[in-house]
Amino acid sequence: MKPVIFGVSGLELTPEERDFFRDADPLGYILFKRNCGDRAQMKALTDSLRELSGRNDVPILIDQEGGRVSRMVPPEWPAFPAGAAFGPLYDTAPVSAIEAARANYQALGMMLAEVGVNVDCAPLLDVAQPEVTVAIGDRAFGGEPMRVAALGQACVEGLRRGGVVGVVKHMPGHGRAVVDSHLELPRVKVDAAQLELDIEPFASNAGAPMGMTCHVVFEAWDAENPATLSSKVVGDIIRGRIGFDGLLMTDDIDMKALSGTPGEKATKALAAGCDVVLDCWARMDEMIEIAGLLPDATPECLTRLDRAMATVAGGCEAADYAELIAKRDALLALA
């Protein structure tokens, strides 16, 4: 098995993709709006990925945070709010806000599980600063570490109840970035003492099953390399200071914050200590390059993968996700 998660080009696998994925045996797959037509189509696509891999628990990911980061959209699926929507209620009734977030993400998880998606790249645990890039913006739960940690924990638990593994992101924190890492490399220049605020929500959620790095340079820790490619940040901060021992994937290596060919970026990320590379765009030439350069997944990677997927092995709890959405809305209306 290759330690990479690949994208898929359309609503169903092409013959070329089938042949390539069968030979490459990637660890998992990630879906985008281009892959989300309707319920029947998505279920057929995810079934085909499971059949092709020969693994019932093959990770099939999606970015379904709510708000503007949503791949499954109305009218086929209900809309979900962005993280900032829970802030006003948290200001007056933190316990109710936590319950609203848990219900929201359980409903969201059930919606994903219904079509065969078993991993959601959510929630964000980034502590937003006033000057944070709009690429984060209202996706974040707020600027207080305790609030972010509590709401994030509720989201991971809600997803688990819905039958889906959550991915906490963007480790060790994207909240100080003032430029969009999709377009350029952010640099954070504050000292290590100030960065304690950023890592607090991740440390509080160190037992999360999966995590995602950020493509940000933290000069106090490693002035030369973004977190994704930094053995100091991955080893000393994410694995050490934060204490995270879940499956660690990169953010999309196609983002312009990273330089080099796809294969070069992928190999550097694994060398830095990431378990898995995320390559989203389903470009066949790039996927062939990456698969040709990567070694097989390490035993540590496979152990972390098995442990993460086992958290949802029993499937989702029996409930009507429309009822959970109504519960969320009633709670948010109290703000």
Side-chain angles (χ1 to χ4, degrees):
M1 184 190 305
K2 295 290 184 178
V4 61
I5 294 166
F6 282 136
V8 177
S9 63
L11 297 176
E12 60 184 19
L13 292 174
T14 67
E16 187 180 19
E17 285 173 332
R18 284 184 177 277
D19 291 342
F20 171 72
F21 291 147
R22 186 180 295 109
D23 291 341
D25 190 21
L27 182 144
Y29 302 92
I30 184 165
L31 305 182
F32 285 84
K33 191 175 290 187
R34 63 180 182 264
N35 309 117
C36 304
D38 58 37
R39 287 170 171 81
Q41 169 271 321
M42 279 197 75
K43 186 63 167 61
L45 176 59
T46 57
D47 283 348
S48 69
L49 292 171
R50 288 189 169 83
E51 181 182 5
L52 189 65
S53 70
R55 292 177 276 141
N56 287 333
D57 64 348
V58 61
I60 300 176
L61 289 67
I62 201 166
D63 281 302
Q64 191 77 16
E65 299 172 10
R68 56 196 165 95
V69 181
S70 300
R71 315 308 186 193
M72 299 162 62
V73 297
E76 183 70 15
W77 293 282
F80 288 80
F86 300 93
L89 180 58
Y90 193 95
D91 288 337
T92 58
V95 173
S96 295
I98 289 167
E99 184 56 33
R102 185 181 295 113
N104 179 75
Y105 271 81
Q106 182 177 351
L108 194 156
M110 293 171 67
M111 182 185 79
L112 300 184
E114 182 179 61
V115 295
V117 174
N118 55 10
V119 180
D120 190 14
C121 297
L124 270 73
L125 298 187
D126 303 316
V127 180
Q129 298 299 309
E131 68 278 12
V132 68
T133 172
V134 295
I136 299 298
D138 67 353
R139 298 165 64 194
F141 291 121
E144 301 168 350
M146 184 180 297
R147 172 192 305 232
V148 175
L151 291 172
Q153 184 178 38
C155 293
V156 172
E157 173 60 17
L159 286 171
R160 186 198 64 76
R161 291 183 183 184
V164 171
V165 178
V167 181
V168 296
K169 61 186 189 183
H170 305 85
M171 303 179 84
H174 209 303
R176 295 183 190 273
V178 298
V179 297
D180 183 353
S181 56
H182 291 87
L183 305 175
E184 56 185 302
L185 177 62
R187 301 188 71 90
V188 172
K189 300 182 179 182
V190 302
D191 62 27
Q194 290 174 281
L195 289 173
E196 287 294 310
L197 178 146
D198 302 71
I199 64 178
E200 186 177 324
F202 294 104
S204 296
N205 286 274
M210 294 186 182
M212 179 185 290
T213 64
C214 62
H215 306 327
V216 177
V217 170
F218 298 91
E219 294 189 356
W221 294 327
D222 184 344
E224 302 299 323
N225 300 293
T228 299
L229 307 182
S230 171
S231 59
K232 293 179 182 177
V233 175
V234 173
D236 296 346
I237 305 303
I238 295 176
R239 297 298 192 193
R241 173 68 183 83
I242 290 172
F244 178 72
D245 192 36
L247 186 78
L248 184 65
M249 68 186 71
T250 71
D251 205 342
D252 181 16
I253 60 166
D254 185 68
M255 292 161 65
K256 301 301 182 274
L258 304 183
S259 59
T261 71
E264 290 168 348
K265 293 182 283 188
T267 54
K268 287 179 181 178
L270 293 187
C274 296
D275 292 310
V276 187
V277 171
L278 183 60
D279 179 64
C280 295
W281 292 101
R283 301 182 184 110
M284 186 57 67
D285 58 337
E286 296 180 2
M287 294 193 294
I288 289 172
E289 180 195 357
I290 291 167
L293 289 175
L294 293 189
D296 289 339
T298 65
E300 292 82 6
C301 170
L302 297 177
T303 296
R304 289 167 176 149
L305 171 63
D306 289 345
R307 191 169 63 216
M309 300 312 297
T311 63
V312 296
C316 62
E317 296 183 7
D320 182 340
Y321 68 74
E323 294 178 1
L324 289 163
I325 291 171
K327 176 181 180 179
R328 174 204 69 200
D329 291 344
L331 289 166
L332 290 179
L334 299 175

